[in-house]
Amino acid sequence: KKGTTTIPLTSLTSVSVDNGRIYVGSTESRLFVFDETTNAGISTVGNGQWWQTFVHVFGVVAKDGLVFVKEKEKSIKVLDASQITETSDWNLKPIAKLNTLNGWTEVYSLDIVDGNLVVAGRDAKSYLYYNIANIKANAEASLTTPIEPQKVQFLDIKPIAVSFSKDWAVTSENIGSASYLKLYPKAEFNKMNYKAVLSASDILGKNPFGTIVGTAQLDDRIFLSDNTNKKIRVIKLNKSVIAEQNN
């Protein structure tokens, strides 16, 4: 609810959890905000009219008091979490804007690691890096000229999803008609060195992946949101040790 208005949860695209809040994006040009503990609604940003706050919402990630909202076309709006309260207006002015270079109506995956917002830029054919300290320093100017990312350009690879665990960048990428799960060492990924230690388009030659729009890792389990097959795939990581003995 927002005031006296009850809003159905429809056309949901993305979810992020930070500092006791759950943020849920919708292509109905809204961002829903809930209490993580009680699941009670805190507020709704955007009144469903695309020409106002958001032109749809295709991705969201929140961390350390900032909320990054990927819109249609090539825009990410940055909000301060303190702007969003039970009594705040539908239409909140962003504190900064980012340029994703390309993009249209696809769901976008975003995550934050080591002081950078990282976006899986499927249309830009690259991972997009935005330094958060730089965003804060240039926030006012970015409202006129949105901040562009650092990136390494790929030729045929379309990054679809990205998330970070303790050791890994867990990503999905489309190459031609195939969808791949890839694991990159996180430290190397942050340096834009893209040498995957695991690249798989199926499970042991069976059950080929469809388009994976979301990834997450918890301990030795990886969760893949397979949009094509309408499934959450759960994969267990096994470790093997090869020891060499000289007699």
Side-chain angles (χ1 to χ4, degrees):
K1 291 186 176 181
K2 177 73 173 176
T4 59
T5 304
T6 299
I7 310 152
L9 297 176
T10 58
S11 303
L12 306 181
T13 59
S14 45
V15 61
S16 182
V17 181
D18 182 60
N19 196 27
R21 289 180 168 186
I22 303 171
Y23 298 86
V24 180
S26 166
T27 53
E28 297 295 327
S29 300
R30 290 188 175 100
L31 180 68
F32 299 103
V33 186
F34 301 92
D35 184 282
E36 182 184 3
T37 303
T38 66
N39 292 328
I42 295 173
S43 191
T44 302
V45 185
N47 65 357
Q49 297 175 323
W50 60 266
W51 58 88
Q52 291 201 15
T53 315
F54 301 122
V55 185
H56 312 304
V57 174
F58 288 103
V60 61
V61 67
K63 191 169 185 179
D64 297 335
L66 295 178
V67 183
F68 300 89
V69 182
K70 173 69 178 75
E71 292 189 289
K72 185 178 179 180
E73 297 177 341
K74 54 182 184 179
S75 172
I76 293 176
K77 287 181 177 174
V78 186
L79 300 173
D80 191 305
S82 65
Q83 293 176 268
I84 305 171
T85 68
E86 291 183 354
T87 58
S88 58
D89 192 75
W90 297 96
N91 188 23
L92 297 179
K93 180 182 177 182
I95 63 169
K97 290 183 180 180
L98 312 177
N99 184 344
T100 60
L101 306 178
N102 298 87
W104 188 239
T105 60
E106 296 85 1
V107 174
Y108 265 57
S109 176
L110 311 83
D111 204 358
I112 293 172
V113 63
D114 293 344
N116 289 306
L117 169 69
V118 181
V119 180
R122 61 170 76 193
D123 297 295
K125 293 185 178 180
S126 57
Y127 292 100
L128 311 177
Y129 294 69
Y130 304 84
N131 181 269
I132 293 175
N134 181 59
I135 293 172
K136 293 177 178 178
N138 295 281
E140 187 65 31
S142 74
L143 297 177
T144 302
T145 304
I147 296 170
E148 294 193 358
Q150 291 183 296
K151 67 183 180 71
V152 171
Q153 188 66 59
F154 301 140
L155 294 178
D156 302 315
I157 299 172
K158 289 186 176 183
I160 306 298
V162 61
S163 67
F164 297 97
S165 61
K166 177 177 176 291
D167 299 311
W168 307 107
V170 185
T171 77
S172 74
E173 299 172 0
N174 278 11
I175 304 174
S177 60
S179 297
Y180 290 84
L181 163 68
K182 293 196 176 186
L183 291 186
Y184 295 94
K186 186 166 71 171
E188 292 302 307
F189 188 93
N190 292 343
K191 297 175 186 176
M192 301 187 189
N193 294 330
Y194 302 114
K195 294 182 179 179
V197 299
L198 181 147
S199 180
S201 60
D202 55 35
I203 301 172
L204 299 176
K206 299 179 180 180
N207 298 310
F209 300 142
T211 299
I212 301 168
V213 296
T215 63
Q217 181 181 355
L218 178 64
D219 300 325
D220 63 352
R221 300 296 197 275
I222 290 181
F223 300 84
L224 308 177
S225 178
D226 187 333
N227 185 60
T228 305
N229 295 296
K230 304 295 185 288
K231 293 179 179 179
I232 303 293
R233 296 181 182 267
V234 185
I235 298 173
K236 184 178 185 296
L237 289 176
N238 291 322
K239 292 183 179 181
S240 61
V241 177
I242 299 174
E244 180 177 338
Q245 180 175 341
N246 293 322
N247 294 324

